[in-house]
Amino acid sequence: MIKTVMQTASAHAIEQAASWILRDEVVGLPTETVYGLAANACSAASVARIFEAKGRPQDNPLIVHIAKLEDLEKVAQNIPEDAYRLAEAFWPGPLTLILERAENIVPAVSGGLSSVGVRIPAHEAARKVIDACKVPLAAPSANCSGRPSPTTAAHVWDDLAGKIPFILDGGPSVMGVESTVLNLQKEAVVLRPGFITAEEIESVLGRPVRYAASVTKPLEEGKVPKSPGTKYTHYAPLAKLTLVEGSFAFFLEQARQVQAADAWALCFEGEEHHLPLPALSYGRFNDAKSQSAGLFAALRLLDEKGAKAALVRCETESEEHLAVYNRLLRAAAFRVVRP
Ligand code: TXA
Ligand code: MG
């Protein structure tokens, strides 16, 4: 056990976060998507600490964070023109580009792949820490491997206190789901959906952008995933989740049939009181932004309430719901009931 300090992101706290990182330690860092667990991407010892603290499988690559576009060449090489066009449109922001890894970045960051994921975060405190360190920061989400991603400093504390020396508190993550991951090495393929949609990327690139099959489907037996992170059960609370697609009336029908003890419903705001189960909401109906902002905190709250099982309302109609639906499918290990 080591002592963990958590501090609001003042200038002094930002300096402290940077000084831990420059001593090869890992720190909890706020971003606009989820909190990250940050370390020097050019130091093998630092990067090893990330995997150790999270209990993360070594073949699951990390995203590298930079503060300004000039630094992209420290992280990637043979960078295509399209990367700069997307950077101009979406950075700082929740878009991760998969490019060819530069020599500087230790191979363990990419789980041994020759590629690297990179983005400029929109959260100012995150960029200030990177600036203060003057090195690119590798940072996966700051949860224990398999748990829901952290969207507050308190979530990071719950998972990692005693394992890391410092957590920088920059307030709740405004977006609440992780960045869109785009493979730009050959075809443009979204490996993980996020706030920025394929349609928006397409309109910048002027060529087709598709979603990888793994976005909404489990990996087939024996196949090697393009994005190794997609093969593990993810984002999962202790409760056994089942997604229910379709209308609220259909959800109500399903909820009435639940026999299990300690079963809960995860629904949209205002629906709680109509249900025959204890219920929590994670956002407003027909409002993908509010759902992403509330999702991970609601999954963690289910655990705190002692839920053993939960039925989950979800929307699947449009592209903007894909980020939340993708996380829910993994949290529910692809258990879905459809009308
Ligand atoms: O919003 C985010 O992206 C957050 C914040 C902290 O920036 N980070 C994050 O990191 O979600 P992580 O490690 O939890 O997820 C990284 C995802 C994984 O699905 C991983 O497989 C994929 O990005 N990824 C990273 N590098 C890759 C690469 N070289 N090739 C393919 N997929 C990669
Ligand atoms: Mg993660």
Side-chain angles (χ1 to χ4, degrees):
M1 286 282 271
I2 60 168
K3 183 176 169 230
T4 305
V5 172
M6 182 156 78
Q7 269 182 27
T8 304
S10 62
H12 174 71
I14 285 167
E15 282 301 320
Q16 277 204 287
S19 78
W20 280 116
I21 291 169
L22 292 175
R23 279 177 276 161
D24 276 350
E25 283 293 346
V26 296
V27 306
L29 199 68
T31 90
E32 75 282 19
T33 56
V34 301
Y35 273 69
L37 183 61
N40 181 353
C42 305
S43 152
S46 303
V47 172
R49 289 242 149 120
I50 294 181
F51 288 96
E52 192 184 300
K54 280 196 62 145
R56 182 175 175 114
Q58 301 278 345
D59 63 346
N60 191 359
L62 312 173
I63 293 172
V64 177
H65 299 70
I66 54 176
K68 12 180 179 3
L69 194 55
E70 297 98 272
D71 292 340
L72 185 57
E73 284 167 28
K74 294 184 186 164
V75 177
Q77 55 191 348
N78 297 321
I79 302 165
E81 197 47 46
D82 278 349
Y84 289 101
R85 292 165 69 188
L86 292 170
E88 191 179 328
F90 299 114
W91 284 356
L95 177 66
T96 295
L97 300 177
I98 307 295
L99 302 169
E100 193 178 318
R101 179 165 49 85
E103 296 288 321
N104 273 346
I105 303 297
V106 299
V109 164
S110 309
L113 299 172
S114 60
S115 58
V116 65
V118 56
R119 77 180 192 101
I120 300 183
H123 199 299
E124 207 186 346
R127 290 204 308 278
K128 284 185 173 164
V129 173
I130 303 168
D131 264 338
C133 296
K134 298 187 176 59
V135 292
L137 299 186
S141 50
N143 50 295
C144 285
S145 200
R147 292 260 295 147
S149 296
T151 52
T152 66
H155 294 161
V156 181
W157 180 275
D158 290 343
D159 279 16
L160 297 172
K163 293 183 178 160
I164 63 175
F166 196 78
I167 301 168
L168 190 67
D169 185 350
S173 298
V174 289
M175 286 169 177
V177 292
E178 304 88 340
S179 60
T180 304
V181 176
L182 180 72
N183 194 349
L184 252 190
Q185 287 185 299
K186 284 183 225 121
E187 265 185 292
V189 181
V190 173
L191 303 177
R192 180 176 72 182
F195 186 81
I196 294 169
T197 62
E199 195 177 22
E200 288 174 283
I201 296 168
E202 235 172 49
S203 73
V204 172
L205 294 184
R207 62 185 169 102
V209 178
R210 65 174 180 88
Y211 286 98
S214 61
V215 164
T216 52
K217 291 192 179 60
L219 189 70
E220 282 172 48
E221 272 313 307
K223 275 214 170 159
V224 179
K226 283 271 162 22
S227 185
T230 55
K231 76 179 169 188
Y232 305 103
T233 308
H234 243 88
Y235 317 114
L238 301 171
K240 184 176 171 185
L241 303 187
T242 305
L243 308 191
V244 181
E245 294 182 10
S247 67
F248 182 67
F250 182 68
F251 187 78
L252 196 55
E253 220 174 273
Q254 298 303 306
R256 288 197 179 113
Q257 291 167 31
V258 170
Q259 305 280 340
D262 297 317
W264 282 66
L266 201 56
C267 60
F268 298 129
E269 273 173 41
E271 295 174 350
E272 299 92 327
H273 308 296
H274 302 283
L275 291 162
L277 300 171
L280 287 173
S281 70
Y282 69 96
R284 288 181 293 277
F285 177 71
N286 199 15
D287 182 348
K289 271 188 199 159
S290 81
Q291 292 168 25
S292 13
L295 177 68
F296 288 131
L299 292 180
R300 282 173 179 263
L301 201 51
L302 276 180
D303 282 348
E304 280 172 38
K305 301 281 187 190
K308 299 276 188 308
L311 281 188
V312 187
R313 277 270 276 154
C314 65
E315 288 187 274
T316 57
E317 284 72 24
S318 74
E319 200 186 353
E320 53 163 1
H321 291 119
L322 205 49
V324 165
Y325 184 54
N326 165 273
R327 291 354 177 243
L328 280 174
L329 281 171
R330 279 164 178 77
F334 293 91
R335 271 183 302 275
V336 183
V337 180
R338 300 188 172 92

